[in-house]
Amino acid sequence: MRILIANDDGIYSPGLCALAEAAANFGDVRIVAPDVEQSSMGHAITASRPLSYRRAHIKEFESYKVNGTPADCVALGAYHWERVDVVLSGINLGTNLGNSAWHSGTLAAAKQAALLGLRGIAVSTPVAQGEPDFDALMPHVVRVLEILLPDPDLKLVNVNVPPAPKGMQWTRQSLRQYDGKVVPGADPMGRPVFWFTVTPIVETEEGTDRWAVEHDLISITPLRLDLTDAKTLAAAQEKHPLG
Ligand code: MN
C-alpha cells in the first residue's frame, strides 16, 4: 500500500512524523507537506504562481516540502508518485471537529485526495498545554488505521483522537453554531487589527464528533464531497418549479 502523508502544520510538525511512523506499519510511506504552517487555509490551491518542492529530512522517510497549501501538496505528491492508495493528513495539532471542517487545512488534504479519486483520512488531536504526547497516541492511531485502511468503502474520513482515549465511536459532524467572532485590537503603531476566532458556543449533540472527543472517545466521521442539501433541493423543486 502506498501512503502519502501530508498536513497543514508544516513539514517539521511532530504530528506529521508521528503519523508517518504509524503509517509505516501498513505500507510504503512518502511525505509531501507545506514548507510553512498552513493551518486554517482550508482547501485553497495555489493557482497564481508555480509550485516547487525541496527534499526534507524526516527520519528515514522520503520527504519533500512544498511552497504551497495542503491541497497543493497532495496534488504534487500524487503527481510524482503513481498509484497512491491513500493520503493521511495530520496528525494535526488541534482538533478538527464540527464546523471547523470548513476551515481545516488538515481535512482539505484528505478532501483533495478524494477529489483525485484517492482515499483521504485526516487525523487530529487536541492541544492543551504543550505538545501532545505522540508516543502515547501511537497505539491508538495504529488501531484506527487497522480499521480504516483495509476498507476501500471508507473514502474520506475525519478522525479526532483525544489524549487518553477510552474507546472509539463512529460519529456524524456536529453542526451546532459557533461564534465566528471578530475581535478588534491595535498594533504597536495604534493601527486597528482584528482577530477572527471560531469557537463552538452551543452544547454538543450526542453521537457527533465533538461529543465523542468531549467524552474521551476517538471520533471517526465518514464524510462525502457532495455538499448538496438533498432535502432542501427536493422541497425547492416542489415549491419553485423551474422551466
Ligand atoms: Mn494545523
Side-chain angles (χ1 to χ4, degrees):
M1 179 173 251
R2 288 190 165 182
I3 306 171
L4 184 66
I5 309 284
N7 75 350
D8 76 355
D9 291 335
I11 187 93
Y12 297 113
S13 168
L16 178 93
C17 187
L19 188 55
E21 288 182 313
N25 292 294
F26 301 91
D28 299 328
V29 169
R30 189 182 287 190
I31 296 172
V32 181
D35 55 0
V36 295
E37 186 177 348
Q38 299 279 335
S39 291
S40 297
M41 290 298 283
H43 207 132
I45 60 169
T46 303
S48 57
R49 61 168 173 82
L51 294 166
S52 59
Y53 63 85
R54 293 174 68 180
R55 207 57 202 256
H57 301 280
I58 312 295
K59 297 227 164 141
E60 71 274 22
F61 303 110
E62 189 174 336
S63 309
Y64 303 92
K65 52 183 175 181
V66 177
N67 62 343
T69 66
D72 292 332
C73 292
V74 171
L76 225 57
Y79 172 81
H80 281 99
W81 203 23
E82 283 177 3
R83 302 189 312 279
V84 168
D85 294 289
V86 60
V87 174
L88 302 184
S89 177
I91 301 172
N92 189 61
L93 295 161
T95 55
N96 279 300
L97 300 165
N99 290 306
S100 67
W102 293 97
H103 311 296
S104 170
T106 306
L107 208 40
K111 285 189 295 171
Q112 184 60 52
L115 286 174
L116 293 171
L118 311 171
R119 298 171 59 204
I121 299 170
V123 185
S124 306
T125 193
V127 177
Q129 261 91 51
E131 207 170 273
D133 183 348
F134 287 110
D135 288 341
L137 288 180
M138 187 64 70
H140 300 288
V141 174
V142 169
R143 181 76 196 106
V144 168
L145 295 179
E146 276 170 0
I147 294 168
L148 300 187
L149 288 179
D151 185 346
D153 291 334
L154 296 171
K155 302 223 183 292
L156 179 58
V157 184
N158 186 27
V159 179
N160 283 270
V161 186
K166 293 179 183 144
M168 304 186 201
Q169 186 157 27
W170 293 104
T171 58
R172 66 182 193 280
Q173 184 188 7
S174 168
L175 290 175
R176 290 286 172 95
Q177 269 310 331
Y178 71 171
D179 67 356
K181 209 182 277 171
V182 175
V183 180
D187 76 3
M189 309 297 287
R191 292 171 296 208
V193 296
F194 302 89
W195 289 97
F196 179 24
T197 63
V198 284
T199 49
I201 51 171
V202 189
E203 268 184 16
T204 53
E205 325 89 297
E206 189 167 345
T208 63
D209 51 5
R210 275 173 58 201
W211 186 91
V213 171
E214 281 176 13
H215 289 79
D216 298 319
L217 300 169
I218 296 173
S219 164
I220 308 179
T221 314
L223 301 174
R224 62 177 178 183
L225 295 175
D226 184 357
L227 297 177
T228 311
D229 180 341
K231 222 162 100 187
T232 303
L233 172 62
Q237 282 168 330
E238 185 89 358
K239 207 165 137 194
H240 312 286
L242 304 176

